[in-house]
Amino acid sequence: MSNKQFVAQEIAKVLPDLDAASIVKLLEQPKHADMGDLAFPTFTLAKTLRKAPQAIASELVDQLDKSAFEKVEAVGPYLNFFFDKAGTSGQVLKQVLSAGPSYGQQDLGQGKNIVIDMSSPNIAKPFSIGHLRSTVIGDSLSNIFQKIGYQTVKVNHLGDWGKQFGLLIVAYKLWGDKAAVEANPISELLKLYVRINEEVTDHPEYDEEARAWFLKLENGDEEATALWQWFRDESLVEFNRIYKELDVTFDSFNGEAFYNDKMDEIIDLLTEKDLLTESKGAQVVNLEKYGIEHPALIKKSDGATLYITRDLAAALYRKRNYDFAKAVYVVGQEQSAHFKQLKAVLAEMDYDWHDDVVHVAMGLVTKNGQKLSTRKGNVILLEPTIQEAISRALTQIESKNPNLANKEEVAHAVGVGAIKFYDLKSDRLNGYDFDLDTMVSFEGETGPYVQYAHARIQSILRKADFTPDAAGNYQLADADSWEIIKLLQDFPRHIQRAAELYEPSIIAKFAINLAQHFNRYYAHVRILEDNAERPSRLALCAATATVLKEALGLLGVEAPDEM
Ligand code: ARG
């Protein structure tokens, strides 16, 4: 039972007109600690009870069973509840210390499956910051859902199909150089792609050829398939290097091409349900009744299928193979029209699970306040940027802790963690400005700041030579530790909310908050001072470290013991 529920239950005992659930909704968290931990405003009762709120508050105080609280005060129209700090701290510390890393683990998912479509870069194109966001957010959501008892399937829906591969084949056959592609696959392939897109204006025949090559590819032509496979393999070598740096894994790399032979079924199903209409030679599904102006284009006049056709096949395949409770797509906000169409077509097809398809949208990342644009040279090249973050982390570690044994490893955890954390701490729909200086700083609301708080605690525990006893009788009643205790107690609820809203930023903000409160504690309290409270203070440290590490873990960020 949460604290709120407990308080509500106590109030309900003396206020038979209201049930606990509606009391919970009225309870407020006071801004100031001297107004208690929870406050119950009596304004709304004045009418039914025909009494002034002040009078109600003071009568309630008299009637309440106050034994479970430090005190309960009536202040004007409010009832202020002060929790029993000593007792609560003992309970919370026991819970965290006995659960250890599994503190916060819940069974809300009951083993059901959640498919997370994430990262999904395009073959022969650079891995963009948008793909980085999707990778990092998707991975964190997977951790969060696992923590509340779901099984997750992380799918990399590679953009490895479409007419652009026809164009790329034409370009490669005209100007390609095998050795150059092998040396620098994505940048060489991108050059070819950019060039053919420029030259096609003067050479409309390229377009025809590209169409023909893509058709060959769709029909399994040997040469076309071999070239496509090669482009794909070479691109994946680069992508996999990034995934390795980020320490992110996938359960499936079934991209768009995987659904090539599953497209006919979609056309058949749509035909059977009489949903296809012809429009200028193409096959479309009208979605006006969903308030969607543009029909979904399913098949072009030349017979080629589209992005959405493949997404329909993918959705069906995932439902059948993973029997998902939710299918989550972590993709930029600029694709929301696409996902609206996708859901609407699934609804038209009478799949009752269309509501379980969720577009987890994200905002744009800018640099120096400007939109990123390859053309304008405002780009973030991911691999060198990650290396730069790691080397800046190393510089800071070298000045703070020159004797650290595994500096390189820690610098990697800090540099990569800094980029991930910064991405995850902003509400996903808000973009952010990509600024390495801010991200890698040990000060401010950053990953390194939280990691440092965790490492600081580990160092205190080493110095004290303290191992907490899960059965120990720990108790703290001071104001600084109380703030920490309340956060520790709230961690499971934050995990739940982060899952409900598909919002890892809730965990990131929680981690910052906990680290800040710990640092305040560290500044105010002599933790190692030898007196009766010392074991309790150290137990608080140990529990805080456990939860910080666990929160960072949910974000896919490591927590080194020393840094
Ligand atoms: N490849 C696409 C892109 O880079 C993202 C794919 C997202 N997933 C999906 N099932 N549509 O824009």
Side-chain angles (χ1 to χ4, degrees):
M1 189 177 345
S2 75
N3 283 330
K4 264 196 180 160
Q5 283 163 335
F6 179 73
V7 169
Q9 179 191 295
E10 291 304 309
I11 297 175
K13 285 185 194 158
V14 294
L15 253 189
D17 289 357
L18 279 181
D19 57 6
S22 27
I23 298 174
V24 163
K25 290 194 193 113
L26 293 173
L27 288 171
E28 294 172 5
Q29 215 127 33
K31 291 258 172 314
H32 256 285
D34 51 4
M35 321 247 281
D37 301 299
L38 278 178
F40 180 62
T42 56
F43 304 106
T44 49
L45 301 176
K47 218 171 172 181
T48 34
L49 299 181
R50 293 166 192 243
K51 267 180 217 157
Q54 281 86 341
I56 300 175
S58 59
E59 274 172 35
L60 282 178
V61 149
D62 291 339
Q63 294 161 7
L64 267 169
D65 174 2
K66 294 176 280 290
S67 59
F69 301 98
E70 194 174 279
K71 59 180 175 184
V72 182
E73 284 176 351
V75 179
Y78 285 95
L79 229 60
N80 293 341
F81 292 82
F82 295 77
F83 294 154
D84 165 19
K85 296 190 182 63
T88 310
S89 67
Q91 279 165 22
V92 171
L93 290 174
K94 195 162 279 174
Q95 268 172 27
V96 179
L97 295 173
S98 59
S102 61
Y103 179 64
Q105 185 75 42
Q106 299 161 61
D107 192 29
L108 300 164
Q110 298 170 315
K112 283 184 276 194
N113 297 334
I114 293 202
V115 176
I116 305 178
D117 184 309
M118 53 184 266
S119 197
S120 311
N122 301 319
I123 297 303
K125 299 257 181 72
F127 191 102
S128 72
I129 286 291
H131 297 123
L132 173 78
R133 284 214 85 180
S134 168
T135 309
V136 168
I137 293 175
D139 189 49
S140 174
L141 287 177
S142 169
N143 296 335
I144 291 169
F145 278 107
Q146 285 183 13
K147 186 91 180 166
I148 62 165
Y150 285 92
Q151 304 218 39
T152 61
V153 185
K154 297 190 272 180
V155 180
N156 197 327
H157 188 76
L158 289 173
D160 56 1
W161 208 246
K163 204 196 105 192
Q164 70 269 27
F165 288 94
L167 272 173
L168 199 57
I169 292 176
V170 175
Y172 181 74
K173 289 181 80 75
L174 284 167
W175 315 297
D177 172 351
K178 186 156 191 267
V181 172
E182 273 166 355
N184 274 314
I186 292 179
S187 70
E188 277 307 308
L189 293 173
L190 184 65
K191 262 190 231 158
L192 290 172
Y193 186 67
V194 169
R195 179 162 171 196
I196 191 128
N197 273 299
E198 279 164 12
E199 300 208 6
V200 75
T201 351
D202 293 333
H203 297 271
E205 72 273 17
Y206 291 166
D207 217 26
E208 279 313 305
E209 286 170 36
R211 220 184 282 276
W213 271 109
F214 182 54
L215 211 63
K216 279 190 185 180
L217 187 59
E218 285 196 298
N219 296 324
D221 171 85
E222 207 174 307
E223 187 185 2
T225 307
L227 278 171
W228 169 82
Q229 187 69 52
W230 181 53
F231 298 153
R232 190 181 190 273
D233 291 348
E234 292 292 339
S235 303
L236 268 179
V237 170
E238 280 203 45
F239 296 155
N240 280 327
R241 270 207 310 269
I242 297 175
Y243 295 139
K244 189 158 181 260
E245 287 290 341
L246 295 176
D247 194 20
V248 172
T249 57
F250 296 89
D251 300 298
S252 161
F253 277 90
N254 286 342
E256 295 185 42
F258 177 76
Y259 299 100
N260 185 35
D261 64 0
K262 297 169 183 60
M263 233 70 96
D264 288 345
E265 189 197 353
I266 298 298
I267 308 289
D268 289 348
L269 284 168
L270 290 169
T271 313
E272 244 166 62
K273 299 189 172 172
D274 207 15
L275 295 171
L276 289 177
T277 323
E278 201 182 300
S279 162
K280 296 179 205 140
Q283 300 289 319
V284 307
V285 178
N286 282 316
L287 301 169
E288 266 153 12
K289 69 168 157 185
Y290 296 88
I292 298 174
E293 185 193 346
H294 296 291
L297 181 51
I298 303 291
K299 196 172 182 176
K300 288 202 265 189
S301 53
D302 64 2
T305 55
L306 292 108
Y307 185 47
I308 193 165
T309 328
R310 297 188 277 279
D311 255 331
L312 285 166
L316 235 67
Y317 177 86
R318 291 170 188 175
K319 186 63 197 176
R320 286 177 185 151
N321 286 273
Y322 306 122
D323 188 28
F324 56 72
K326 294 265 186 246
V328 171
Y329 297 75
V330 188
V331 185
Q333 210 171 1
E334 64 283 0
Q335 291 195 28
S336 42
H338 167 75
F339 287 103
K340 280 203 184 104
Q341 284 194 338
L342 179 64
K343 286 186 69 157
V345 177
L346 291 170
E348 276 294 88
M349 294 173 87
D350 270 338
Y351 293 124
D352 54 359
W353 46 266
H354 70 270
D355 263 338
D356 303 327
V357 169
V358 187
H359 177 204
V360 171
M362 341 164 277
L364 274 187
V365 176
T366 54
K367 194 180 171 193
N368 301 321
Q370 307 282 314
K371 254 179 119 163
L372 296 169
S373 144
T374 324
R375 259 183 308 121
K376 292 184 185 144
N378 201 31
V379 284
I380 298 168
L381 296 171
L382 212 52
E383 287 195 83
T385 304
I386 294 175
Q387 292 317 321
E388 177 65 20
I390 296 172
S391 92
R392 289 191 197 194
L394 188 60
T395 314
Q396 297 192 69
I397 291 164
E398 249 147 18
S399 76
K400 276 186 185 286
N401 193 355
N403 299 321
L404 184 66
N406 51 347
K407 272 185 223 158
E408 308 284 329
E409 210 178 293
V410 174
H412 188 274
V414 173
V416 171
I419 295 180
K420 286 187 178 182
F421 191 93
Y422 204 80
D423 190 299
L424 291 168
K425 79 152 195 187
S426 51
D427 300 0
R428 66 180 156 74
L429 277 170
N430 294 343
Y432 60 92
D433 201 61
F434 197 98
D435 174 30
L436 264 194
D437 271 338
T438 316
M439 292 176 176
V440 186
S441 168
F442 279 47
E443 307 299 328
E445 302 183 345
T446 67
Y449 175 81
V450 178
Q451 287 172 320
Y452 196 71
H454 170 266
R456 166 175 279 163
I457 299 178
Q458 295 300 350
S459 128
I460 296 171
L461 295 174
R462 277 192 303 272
K463 206 179 281 171
D465 196 15
F466 176 82
T467 321
D469 172 7
N473 239 336
Y474 303 119
Q475 283 199 347
L476 291 160
D478 64 293
D480 288 309
S481 65
W482 181 235
E483 293 305 313
I484 298 177
I485 291 290
K486 281 193 288 187
L487 283 169
L488 298 179
Q489 187 178 31
D490 260 358
F491 183 50
R493 200 176 53 84
H494 280 92
I495 303 173
Q496 244 179 66
R497 269 183 59 74
E500 249 163 53
L501 302 174
Y502 305 98
E503 192 63 89
S505 65
I506 290 177
I507 304 294
K509 287 173 185 153
F510 168 85
I512 293 168
N513 209 350
L514 182 55
Q516 286 172 340
H517 275 102
F518 179 78
N519 283 338
R520 208 160 299 155
Y521 185 68
Y522 177 80
H524 290 177
V525 177
R526 283 205 242 143
I527 297 172
L528 290 172
E529 190 177 25
D530 201 5
N531 59 20
E533 232 182 33
R534 184 180 192 258
S536 296
R537 289 193 301 264
L538 289 166
L540 180 74
C541 288
T544 305
T546 298
V547 172
L548 280 178
K549 184 173 187 145
E550 202 44 40
L552 288 172
L554 291 178
L555 303 173
V557 175
E558 285 176 72
D561 281 345
E562 265 183 277
M563 61 187 266

